[in-house]
Amino acid sequence: MIRRRSASLYIAAFAGSALILSACGGSSSPAASADKKVSSANKATIKIVQNSWTASALEAEMAKQIIETNLGNKVEIVTIDENAMFAGLSAGDVDAVLEIWPSGVNADEQKFIDDGSVKNMGLLGAVGKIGWWVPDYVIEQNPSLATSEGLADPAIAKLFATAETGNRGRFLGTDPSYSQYDEAIVKNLNLPFDVKYSGSEAATVAEIDARVAKKEPVLLYWWTPTAAVSKYNLKNVKLPAHTDACYADAAKADCDYPEDPLFKAASAKLESKDAAVFKFIQKFSLSTEDQLAMLPSAEIDKKPAAEVVKLWLASNQDKVKAWLE
């Protein structure tokens, strides 16, 4: 998500926060609450972080609709570079983020939690897993590719070669800002692959779509929960089992990514800014199943996040009421 994310923190970038914060236009559709919309008079504007993946967009939109309708605050959904997000939360320039992947939190970012300027708001409820993935037909045609040991064969690696990689296989990374240890894993496992980055989640999906349509091999960094895993029948390549020691030095990483119990965070300043919103963020939760119920509409059907969220909220009023108690 951080999510799969930032390997280094550029705090200096946040000095010009006006340049890297941008409020996204939110939905004007009402949140799915039976309650009468609360007045926003004299209420603080709440700034919710939206990171560059679909689940984050859905969660930010959900918080916007619920807070605006039930708590009366105007909400701005803010896109921000992950490398500056913790500094923004610490400074109070943004108020909360609803999905952080713990495997992507580095020591510099952890310091903000340790000094109390950023509050860990508890588990989101969903559990994420980053890893190496291939379409199912790749393993059906070459069963050895179910594990990283099969990738060590140069002849097999050439199946994944592109004009850019020559005789070596291509490993497809995604947004370069994500916390990706694949270059280290490839090097330390001595695999004949080069890591190349698509640039974004959307670009990776487009690449998967094109490759799967032609039944061509592709090996990539991906994660679950996402709709793409089921749509393209992606299979997780088995890497050496994860250990904490394996990632103690990122440059020496040579094992699988860990499972990530996703968590939420807020600026320590949010509680005094608006205690009701602070408590809502603490209680807000989404399970893996909740995410998977929404992701296909957003990722595959390309429906706007506001529309997907509105429909989900209409069917889950019991959860909304629990978050607002």
PDB file of all heavy atoms in Angstrom, residues 237-275:
ATOM      1  N   VAL A 237       3.827 -17.020  -6.812  1.00  0.00           N
ATOM      2  CA  VAL A 237       5.045 -17.818  -6.912  1.00  0.00           C
ATOM      3  C   VAL A 237       5.636 -17.967  -5.507  1.00  0.00           C
ATOM      4  O   VAL A 237       5.783 -16.983  -4.772  1.00  0.00           O
ATOM      5  CB  VAL A 237       6.072 -17.147  -7.847  1.00  0.00           C
ATOM      6  CG1 VAL A 237       7.393 -17.919  -7.834  1.00  0.00           C
ATOM      7  CG2 VAL A 237       5.515 -17.047  -9.254  1.00  0.00           C
ATOM      8  N   LYS A 238       5.982 -19.168  -5.134  1.00  0.00           N
ATOM      9  CA  LYS A 238       6.495 -19.421  -3.795  1.00  0.00           C
ATOM     10  C   LYS A 238       7.962 -19.018  -3.709  1.00  0.00           C
ATOM     11  O   LYS A 238       8.825 -19.587  -4.371  1.00  0.00           O
ATOM     12  CB  LYS A 238       6.334 -20.900  -3.425  1.00  0.00           C
ATOM     13  CG  LYS A 238       6.687 -21.208  -1.980  1.00  0.00           C
ATOM     14  CD  LYS A 238       6.407 -22.661  -1.636  1.00  0.00           C
ATOM     15  CE  LYS A 238       6.734 -22.949  -0.174  1.00  0.00           C
ATOM     16  NZ  LYS A 238       6.467 -24.372   0.174  1.00  0.00           N
ATOM     17  N   LEU A 239       8.222 -18.008  -2.871  1.00  0.00           N
ATOM     18  CA  LEU A 239       9.580 -17.584  -2.569  1.00  0.00           C
ATOM     19  C   LEU A 239      10.017 -18.234  -1.260  1.00  0.00           C
ATOM     20  O   LEU A 239       9.179 -18.768  -0.521  1.00  0.00           O
ATOM     21  CB  LEU A 239       9.635 -16.062  -2.438  1.00  0.00           C
ATOM     22  CG  LEU A 239       9.302 -15.240  -3.695  1.00  0.00           C
ATOM     23  CD1 LEU A 239       9.200 -13.761  -3.353  1.00  0.00           C
ATOM     24  CD2 LEU A 239      10.343 -15.470  -4.771  1.00  0.00           C
ATOM     25  N   PRO A 240      11.298 -18.170  -0.908  1.00  0.00           N
ATOM     26  CA  PRO A 240      11.706 -18.644   0.414  1.00  0.00           C
ATOM     27  C   PRO A 240      10.876 -17.980   1.500  1.00  0.00           C
ATOM     28  O   PRO A 240      10.540 -16.793   1.404  1.00  0.00           O
ATOM     29  CB  PRO A 240      13.182 -18.228   0.489  1.00  0.00           C
ATOM     30  CG  PRO A 240      13.632 -18.234  -0.937  1.00  0.00           C
ATOM     31  CD  PRO A 240      12.451 -17.737  -1.726  1.00  0.00           C
ATOM     32  N   ALA A 241      10.540 -18.729   2.534  1.00  0.00           N
ATOM     33  CA  ALA A 241       9.631 -18.243   3.574  1.00  0.00           C
ATOM     34  C   ALA A 241      10.148 -16.963   4.228  1.00  0.00           C
ATOM     35  O   ALA A 241      11.359 -16.794   4.453  1.00  0.00           O
ATOM     36  CB  ALA A 241       9.436 -19.318   4.635  1.00  0.00           C
ATOM     37  N   HIS A 242       9.222 -16.074   4.510  1.00  0.00           N
ATOM     38  CA  HIS A 242       9.587 -14.797   5.122  1.00  0.00           C
ATOM     39  C   HIS A 242      10.067 -14.977   6.557  1.00  0.00           C
ATOM     40  O   HIS A 242       9.530 -15.771   7.319  1.00  0.00           O
ATOM     41  CB  HIS A 242       8.381 -13.852   5.134  1.00  0.00           C
ATOM     42  CG  HIS A 242       8.653 -12.579   5.878  1.00  0.00           C
ATOM     43  ND1 HIS A 242       9.308 -11.515   5.304  1.00  0.00           N
ATOM     44  CD2 HIS A 242       8.383 -12.219   7.165  1.00  0.00           C
ATOM     45  CE1 HIS A 242       9.420 -10.551   6.196  1.00  0.00           C
ATOM     46  NE2 HIS A 242       8.880 -10.955   7.328  1.00  0.00           N
ATOM     47  N   THR A 243      11.084 -14.217   6.913  1.00  0.00           N
ATOM     48  CA  THR A 243      11.518 -14.074   8.296  1.00  0.00           C
ATOM     49  C   THR A 243      11.813 -12.593   8.536  1.00  0.00           C
ATOM     50  O   THR A 243      12.146 -11.860   7.591  1.00  0.00           O
ATOM     51  CB  THR A 243      12.793 -14.884   8.605  1.00  0.00           C
ATOM     52  OG1 THR A 243      13.891 -14.340   7.847  1.00  0.00           O
ATOM     53  CG2 THR A 243      12.613 -16.363   8.260  1.00  0.00           C
ATOM     54  N   ASP A 244      11.687 -12.156   9.775  1.00  0.00           N
ATOM     55  CA  ASP A 244      12.023 -10.765  10.081  1.00  0.00           C
ATOM     56  C   ASP A 244      13.493 -10.482   9.786  1.00  0.00           C
ATOM     57  O   ASP A 244      13.852  -9.381   9.338  1.00  0.00           O
ATOM     58  CB  ASP A 244      11.710 -10.462  11.545  1.00  0.00           C
ATOM     59  CG  ASP A 244      10.214 -10.454  11.829  1.00  0.00           C
ATOM     60  OD1 ASP A 244       9.435 -10.297  10.869  1.00  0.00           O
ATOM     61  OD2 ASP A 244       9.832 -10.612  13.010  1.00  0.00           O
ATOM     62  N   ALA A 245      14.342 -11.462  10.042  1.00  0.00           N
ATOM     63  CA  ALA A 245      15.773 -11.274   9.808  1.00  0.00           C
ATOM     64  C   ALA A 245      16.064 -11.032   8.335  1.00  0.00           C
ATOM     65  O   ALA A 245      16.987 -10.290   7.994  1.00  0.00           O
ATOM     66  CB  ALA A 245      16.537 -12.499  10.302  1.00  0.00           C
ATOM     67  N   CYS A 246      15.265 -11.630   7.466  1.00  0.00           N
ATOM     68  CA  CYS A 246      15.470 -11.489   6.027  1.00  0.00           C
ATOM     69  C   CYS A 246      15.370 -10.033   5.596  1.00  0.00           C
ATOM     70  O   CYS A 246      16.081  -9.600   4.689  1.00  0.00           O
ATOM     71  CB  CYS A 246      14.439 -12.338   5.290  1.00  0.00           C
ATOM     72  SG  CYS A 246      14.385 -12.073   3.510  1.00  0.00           S
ATOM     73  N   TYR A 247      14.501  -9.264   6.253  1.00  0.00           N
ATOM     74  CA  TYR A 247      14.290  -7.872   5.873  1.00  0.00           C
ATOM     75  C   TYR A 247      14.961  -6.884   6.833  1.00  0.00           C
ATOM     76  O   TYR A 247      14.732  -5.686   6.755  1.00  0.00           O
ATOM     77  CB  TYR A 247      12.792  -7.577   5.780  1.00  0.00           C
ATOM     78  CG  TYR A 247      12.185  -8.076   4.484  1.00  0.00           C
ATOM     79  CD1 TYR A 247      11.841  -9.414   4.316  1.00  0.00           C
ATOM     80  CD2 TYR A 247      11.968  -7.216   3.416  1.00  0.00           C
ATOM     81  CE1 TYR A 247      11.304  -9.881   3.130  1.00  0.00           C
ATOM     82  CE2 TYR A 247      11.428  -7.666   2.221  1.00  0.00           C
ATOM     83  CZ  TYR A 247      11.098  -9.007   2.089  1.00  0.00           C
ATOM     84  OH  TYR A 247      10.568  -9.455   0.898  1.00  0.00           O
ATOM     85  N   ALA A 248      15.784  -7.402   7.740  1.00  0.00           N
ATOM     86  CA  ALA A 248      16.477  -6.513   8.673  1.00  0.00           C
ATOM     87  C   ALA A 248      17.373  -5.539   7.915  1.00  0.00           C
ATOM     88  O   ALA A 248      17.530  -4.382   8.298  1.00  0.00           O
ATOM     89  CB  ALA A 248      17.296  -7.330   9.665  1.00  0.00           C
ATOM     90  N   ASP A 249      17.956  -6.015   6.839  1.00  0.00           N
ATOM     91  CA  ASP A 249      18.738  -5.171   5.931  1.00  0.00           C
ATOM     92  C   ASP A 249      18.095  -5.322   4.558  1.00  0.00           C
ATOM     93  O   ASP A 249      18.206  -6.377   3.929  1.00  0.00           O
ATOM     94  CB  ASP A 249      20.196  -5.610   5.912  1.00  0.00           C
ATOM     95  CG  ASP A 249      21.068  -4.729   5.007  1.00  0.00           C
ATOM     96  OD1 ASP A 249      20.506  -3.966   4.188  1.00  0.00           O
ATOM     97  OD2 ASP A 249      22.301  -4.822   5.115  1.00  0.00           O
ATOM     98  N   ALA A 250      17.402  -4.280   4.093  1.00  0.00           N
ATOM     99  CA  ALA A 250      16.639  -4.374   2.847  1.00  0.00           C
ATOM    100  C   ALA A 250      17.507  -4.802   1.670  1.00  0.00           C
ATOM    101  O   ALA A 250      17.050  -5.512   0.781  1.00  0.00           O
ATOM    102  CB  ALA A 250      15.963  -3.037   2.546  1.00  0.00           C
ATOM    103  N   ALA A 251      18.755  -4.392   1.671  1.00  0.00           N
ATOM    104  CA  ALA A 251      19.640  -4.727   0.557  1.00  0.00           C
ATOM    105  C   ALA A 251      19.952  -6.219   0.515  1.00  0.00           C
ATOM    106  O   ALA A 251      20.364  -6.739  -0.522  1.00  0.00           O
ATOM    107  CB  ALA A 251      20.937  -3.929   0.662  1.00  0.00           C
ATOM    108  N   LYS A 252      19.736  -6.910   1.633  1.00  0.00           N
ATOM    109  CA  LYS A 252      20.040  -8.340   1.704  1.00  0.00           C
ATOM    110  C   LYS A 252      18.785  -9.204   1.635  1.00  0.00           C
ATOM    111  O   LYS A 252      18.864 -10.416   1.840  1.00  0.00           O
ATOM    112  CB  LYS A 252      20.817  -8.636   2.983  1.00  0.00           C
ATOM    113  CG  LYS A 252      22.181  -7.950   3.035  1.00  0.00           C
ATOM    114  CD  LYS A 252      22.920  -8.267   4.338  1.00  0.00           C
ATOM    115  CE  LYS A 252      24.276  -7.581   4.369  1.00  0.00           C
ATOM    116  NZ  LYS A 252      25.003  -7.865   5.642  1.00  0.00           N
ATOM    117  N   ALA A 253      17.643  -8.598   1.350  1.00  0.00           N
ATOM    118  CA  ALA A 253      16.382  -9.351   1.318  1.00  0.00           C
ATOM    119  C   ALA A 253      16.469 -10.486   0.299  1.00  0.00           C
ATOM    120  O   ALA A 253      16.871 -10.281  -0.842  1.00  0.00           O
ATOM    121  CB  ALA A 253      15.226  -8.412   0.965  1.00  0.00           C
ATOM    122  N   ASP A 254      16.092 -11.675   0.732  1.00  0.00           N
ATOM    123  CA  ASP A 254      16.126 -12.838  -0.157  1.00  0.00           C
ATOM    124  C   ASP A 254      14.989 -13.806   0.142  1.00  0.00           C
ATOM    125  O   ASP A 254      15.116 -15.010  -0.045  1.00  0.00           O
ATOM    126  CB  ASP A 254      17.478 -13.559  -0.052  1.00  0.00           C
ATOM    127  CG  ASP A 254      17.767 -14.089   1.349  1.00  0.00           C
ATOM    128  OD1 ASP A 254      16.938 -13.876   2.256  1.00  0.00           O
ATOM    129  OD2 ASP A 254      18.824 -14.720   1.536  1.00  0.00           O
ATOM    130  N   CYS A 255      13.867 -13.263   0.615  1.00  0.00           N
ATOM    131  CA  CYS A 255      12.734 -14.121   0.964  1.00  0.00           C
ATOM    132  C   CYS A 255      11.426 -13.420   0.598  1.00  0.00           C
ATOM    133  O   CYS A 255      11.421 -12.285   0.104  1.00  0.00           O
ATOM    134  CB  CYS A 255      12.758 -14.468   2.452  1.00  0.00           C
ATOM    135  SG  CYS A 255      12.410 -13.072   3.550  1.00  0.00           S
ATOM    136  N   ASP A 256      10.334 -14.072   0.877  1.00  0.00           N
ATOM    137  CA  ASP A 256       9.014 -13.569   0.517  1.00  0.00           C
ATOM    138  C   ASP A 256       8.635 -12.344   1.350  1.00  0.00           C
ATOM    139  O   ASP A 256       9.182 -12.106   2.435  1.00  0.00           O
ATOM    140  CB  ASP A 256       7.980 -14.683   0.743  1.00  0.00           C
ATOM    141  CG  ASP A 256       6.693 -14.469  -0.033  1.00  0.00           C
ATOM    142  OD1 ASP A 256       6.595 -13.465  -0.779  1.00  0.00           O
ATOM    143  OD2 ASP A 256       5.787 -15.315   0.097  1.00  0.00           O
ATOM    144  N   TYR A 257       7.690 -11.578   0.847  1.00  0.00           N
ATOM    145  CA  TYR A 257       7.093 -10.486   1.614  1.00  0.00           C
ATOM    146  C   TYR A 257       6.238 -11.074   2.738  1.00  0.00           C
ATOM    147  O   TYR A 257       5.687 -12.168   2.606  1.00  0.00           O
ATOM    148  CB  TYR A 257       6.207  -9.630   0.710  1.00  0.00           C
ATOM    149  CG  TYR A 257       6.938  -8.785  -0.310  1.00  0.00           C
ATOM    150  CD1 TYR A 257       7.354  -9.329  -1.529  1.00  0.00           C
ATOM    151  CD2 TYR A 257       7.181  -7.437  -0.074  1.00  0.00           C
ATOM    152  CE1 TYR A 257       8.003  -8.551  -2.478  1.00  0.00           C
ATOM    153  CE2 TYR A 257       7.820  -6.645  -1.023  1.00  0.00           C
ATOM    154  CZ  TYR A 257       8.237  -7.212  -2.226  1.00  0.00           C
ATOM    155  OH  TYR A 257       8.877  -6.433  -3.160  1.00  0.00           O
ATOM    156  N   PRO A 258       6.069 -10.345   3.836  1.00  0.00           N
ATOM    157  CA  PRO A 258       5.229 -10.843   4.918  1.00  0.00           C
ATOM    158  C   PRO A 258       3.754 -10.590   4.651  1.00  0.00           C
ATOM    159  O   PRO A 258       3.399  -9.807   3.765  1.00  0.00           O
ATOM    160  CB  PRO A 258       5.685  -9.997   6.114  1.00  0.00           C
ATOM    161  CG  PRO A 258       6.043  -8.674   5.486  1.00  0.00           C
ATOM    162  CD  PRO A 258       6.675  -9.031   4.156  1.00  0.00           C
ATOM    163  N   GLU A 259       2.910 -11.259   5.404  1.00  0.00           N
ATOM    164  CA  GLU A 259       1.500 -10.862   5.430  1.00  0.00           C
ATOM    165  C   GLU A 259       1.402  -9.545   6.183  1.00  0.00           C
ATOM    166  O   GLU A 259       2.137  -9.313   7.152  1.00  0.00           O
ATOM    167  CB  GLU A 259       0.642 -11.923   6.116  1.00  0.00           C
ATOM    168  CG  GLU A 259       0.337 -13.122   5.247  1.00  0.00           C
ATOM    169  CD  GLU A 259      -0.811 -13.954   5.800  1.00  0.00           C
ATOM    170  OE1 GLU A 259      -1.145 -13.799   6.999  1.00  0.00           O
ATOM    171  OE2 GLU A 259      -1.374 -14.758   5.038  1.00  0.00           O
ATOM    172  N   ASP A 260       0.497  -8.681   5.757  1.00  0.00           N
ATOM    173  CA  ASP A 260       0.375  -7.353   6.338  1.00  0.00           C
ATOM    174  C   ASP A 260      -1.011  -7.124   6.938  1.00  0.00           C
ATOM    175  O   ASP A 260      -1.979  -6.898   6.193  1.00  0.00           O
ATOM    176  CB  ASP A 260       0.627  -6.287   5.268  1.00  0.00           C
ATOM    177  CG  ASP A 260       2.094  -5.933   5.112  1.00  0.00           C
ATOM    178  OD1 ASP A 260       2.765  -5.740   6.140  1.00  0.00           O
ATOM    179  OD2 ASP A 260       2.574  -5.846   3.964  1.00  0.00           O
ATOM    180  N   PRO A 261      -1.153  -7.155   8.255  1.00  0.00           N
ATOM    181  CA  PRO A 261      -2.414  -6.705   8.859  1.00  0.00           C
ATOM    182  C   PRO A 261      -2.475  -5.175   8.729  1.00  0.00           C
ATOM    183  O   PRO A 261      -1.713  -4.459   9.377  1.00  0.00           O
ATOM    184  CB  PRO A 261      -2.284  -7.140  10.326  1.00  0.00           C
ATOM    185  CG  PRO A 261      -1.135  -8.100  10.364  1.00  0.00           C
ATOM    186  CD  PRO A 261      -0.218  -7.666   9.272  1.00  0.00           C
ATOM    187  N   LEU A 262      -3.346  -4.685   7.870  1.00  0.00           N
ATOM    188  CA  LEU A 262      -3.383  -3.260   7.551  1.00  0.00           C
ATOM    189  C   LEU A 262      -3.856  -2.446   8.755  1.00  0.00           C
ATOM    190  O   LEU A 262      -4.708  -2.886   9.514  1.00  0.00           O
ATOM    191  CB  LEU A 262      -4.302  -3.031   6.351  1.00  0.00           C
ATOM    192  CG  LEU A 262      -4.047  -3.936   5.133  1.00  0.00           C
ATOM    193  CD1 LEU A 262      -4.992  -3.584   4.001  1.00  0.00           C
ATOM    194  CD2 LEU A 262      -2.604  -3.860   4.680  1.00  0.00           C
ATOM    195  N   PHE A 263      -3.297  -1.233   8.904  1.00  0.00           N
ATOM    196  CA  PHE A 263      -3.715  -0.398  10.027  1.00  0.00           C
ATOM    197  C   PHE A 263      -3.980   1.034   9.580  1.00  0.00           C
ATOM    198  O   PHE A 263      -3.668   1.418   8.450  1.00  0.00           O
ATOM    199  CB  PHE A 263      -2.701  -0.456  11.172  1.00  0.00           C
ATOM    200  CG  PHE A 263      -1.386   0.255  10.929  1.00  0.00           C
ATOM    201  CD1 PHE A 263      -1.171   1.534  11.420  1.00  0.00           C
ATOM    202  CD2 PHE A 263      -0.352  -0.371  10.237  1.00  0.00           C
ATOM    203  CE1 PHE A 263       0.046   2.181  11.235  1.00  0.00           C
ATOM    204  CE2 PHE A 263       0.869   0.269  10.031  1.00  0.00           C
ATOM    205  CZ  PHE A 263       1.072   1.552  10.537  1.00  0.00           C
ATOM    206  N   LYS A 264      -4.581   1.801  10.486  1.00  0.00           N
ATOM    207  CA  LYS A 264      -4.954   3.195  10.217  1.00  0.00           C
ATOM    208  C   LYS A 264      -4.054   4.116  11.039  1.00  0.00           C
ATOM    209  O   LYS A 264      -3.474   3.703  12.042  1.00  0.00           O
ATOM    210  CB  LYS A 264      -6.414   3.430  10.627  1.00  0.00           C
ATOM    211  CG  LYS A 264      -7.421   2.504   9.973  1.00  0.00           C
ATOM    212  CD  LYS A 264      -8.748   2.491  10.742  1.00  0.00           C
ATOM    213  CE  LYS A 264      -8.570   1.812  12.100  1.00  0.00           C
ATOM    214  NZ  LYS A 264      -9.830   1.740  12.877  1.00  0.00           N
ATOM    215  N   ALA A 265      -3.960   5.360  10.623  1.00  0.00           N
ATOM    216  CA  ALA A 265      -3.181   6.339  11.383  1.00  0.00           C
ATOM    217  C   ALA A 265      -3.832   7.705  11.262  1.00  0.00           C
ATOM    218  O   ALA A 265      -4.568   7.987  10.311  1.00  0.00           O
ATOM    219  CB  ALA A 265      -1.738   6.394  10.888  1.00  0.00           C
ATOM    220  N   ALA A 266      -3.562   8.538  12.263  1.00  0.00           N
ATOM    221  CA  ALA A 266      -4.102   9.901  12.258  1.00  0.00           C
ATOM    222  C   ALA A 266      -3.097  10.845  12.873  1.00  0.00           C
ATOM    223  O   ALA A 266      -2.215  10.437  13.646  1.00  0.00           O
ATOM    224  CB  ALA A 266      -5.417   9.962  13.029  1.00  0.00           C
ATOM    225  N   SER A 267      -3.214  12.098  12.522  1.00  0.00           N
ATOM    226  CA  SER A 267      -2.431  13.131  13.190  1.00  0.00           C
ATOM    227  C   SER A 267      -2.847  13.193  14.651  1.00  0.00           C
ATOM    228  O   SER A 267      -4.034  13.110  14.985  1.00  0.00           O
ATOM    229  CB  SER A 267      -2.680  14.485  12.524  1.00  0.00           C
ATOM    230  OG  SER A 267      -2.092  15.532  13.284  1.00  0.00           O
ATOM    231  N   ALA A 268      -1.878  13.358  15.538  1.00  0.00           N
ATOM    232  CA  ALA A 268      -2.202  13.514  16.954  1.00  0.00           C
ATOM    233  C   ALA A 268      -3.049  14.755  17.192  1.00  0.00           C
ATOM    234  O   ALA A 268      -3.759  14.851  18.200  1.00  0.00           O
ATOM    235  CB  ALA A 268      -0.917  13.589  17.771  1.00  0.00           C
ATOM    236  N   LYS A 269      -3.010  15.689  16.246  1.00  0.00           N
ATOM    237  CA  LYS A 269      -3.770  16.930  16.377  1.00  0.00           C
ATOM    238  C   LYS A 269      -5.250  16.746  16.053  1.00  0.00           C
ATOM    239  O   LYS A 269      -6.063  17.623  16.345  1.00  0.00           O
ATOM    240  CB  LYS A 269      -3.172  18.001  15.464  1.00  0.00           C
ATOM    241  CG  LYS A 269      -1.732  18.361  15.812  1.00  0.00           C
ATOM    242  CD  LYS A 269      -1.162  19.413  14.870  1.00  0.00           C
ATOM    243  CE  LYS A 269       0.276  19.746  15.257  1.00  0.00           C
ATOM    244  NZ  LYS A 269       0.858  20.802  14.380  1.00  0.00           N
ATOM    245  N   LEU A 270      -5.606  15.605  15.458  1.00  0.00           N
ATOM    246  CA  LEU A 270      -6.998  15.409  15.052  1.00  0.00           C
ATOM    247  C   LEU A 270      -7.934  15.312  16.248  1.00  0.00           C
ATOM    248  O   LEU A 270      -9.073  15.792  16.180  1.00  0.00           O
ATOM    249  CB  LEU A 270      -7.128  14.139  14.199  1.00  0.00           C
ATOM    250  CG  LEU A 270      -8.550  13.763  13.753  1.00  0.00           C
ATOM    251  CD1 LEU A 270      -9.187  14.881  12.942  1.00  0.00           C
ATOM    252  CD2 LEU A 270      -8.541  12.462  12.954  1.00  0.00           C
ATOM    253  N   GLU A 271      -7.504  14.722  17.341  1.00  0.00           N
ATOM    254  CA  GLU A 271      -8.400  14.527  18.484  1.00  0.00           C
ATOM    255  C   GLU A 271      -8.898  15.857  19.034  1.00  0.00           C
ATOM    256  O   GLU A 271     -10.080  16.003  19.368  1.00  0.00           O
ATOM    257  CB  GLU A 271      -7.710  13.728  19.580  1.00  0.00           C
ATOM    258  CG  GLU A 271      -8.667  13.313  20.690  1.00  0.00           C
ATOM    259  CD  GLU A 271      -8.073  12.277  21.621  1.00  0.00           C
ATOM    260  OE1 GLU A 271      -6.839  12.087  21.613  1.00  0.00           O
ATOM    261  OE2 GLU A 271      -8.850  11.641  22.348  1.00  0.00           O
ATOM    262  N   SER A 272      -8.009  16.857  19.121  1.00  0.00           N
ATOM    263  CA  SER A 272      -8.448  18.174  19.593  1.00  0.00           C
ATOM    264  C   SER A 272      -9.151  18.962  18.492  1.00  0.00           C
ATOM    265  O   SER A 272     -10.006  19.804  18.770  1.00  0.00           O
ATOM    266  CB  SER A 272      -7.253  18.973  20.124  1.00  0.00           C
ATOM    267  OG  SER A 272      -6.278  19.160  19.116  1.00  0.00           O
ATOM    268  N   LYS A 273      -8.833  18.664  17.256  1.00  0.00           N
ATOM    269  CA  LYS A 273      -9.482  19.332  16.121  1.00  0.00           C
ATOM    270  C   LYS A 273     -10.939  18.912  16.027  1.00  0.00           C
ATOM    271  O   LYS A 273     -11.823  19.748  15.832  1.00  0.00           O
ATOM    272  CB  LYS A 273      -8.742  18.973  14.831  1.00  0.00           C
ATOM    273  CG  LYS A 273      -9.294  19.606  13.567  1.00  0.00           C
ATOM    274  CD  LYS A 273      -8.428  19.229  12.362  1.00  0.00           C
ATOM    275  CE  LYS A 273      -8.938  19.854  11.075  1.00  0.00           C
ATOM    276  NZ  LYS A 273      -8.066  19.526   9.917  1.00  0.00           N
ATOM    277  N   ASP A 274     -11.205  17.610  16.148  1.00  0.00           N
ATOM    278  CA  ASP A 274     -12.580  17.119  16.146  1.00  0.00           C
ATOM    279  C   ASP A 274     -12.599  15.715  16.762  1.00  0.00           C
ATOM    280  O   ASP A 274     -12.235  14.729  16.109  1.00  0.00           O
ATOM    281  CB  ASP A 274     -13.144  17.068  14.724  1.00  0.00           C
ATOM    282  CG  ASP A 274     -14.667  16.907  14.733  1.00  0.00           C
ATOM    283  OD1 ASP A 274     -15.140  15.877  15.248  1.00  0.00           O
ATOM    284  OD2 ASP A 274     -15.365  17.806  14.243  1.00  0.00           O
ATOM    285  N   ALA A 275     -13.023  15.636  18.022  1.00  0.00           N
ATOM    286  CA  ALA A 275     -12.997  14.377  18.759  1.00  0.00           C
ATOM    287  C   ALA A 275     -13.914  13.326  18.148  1.00  0.00           C
ATOM    288  O   ALA A 275     -13.619  12.133  18.171  1.00  0.00           O
ATOM    289  CB  ALA A 275     -13.376  14.619  20.219  1.00  0.00           C
TER     290      ALA A 275
END
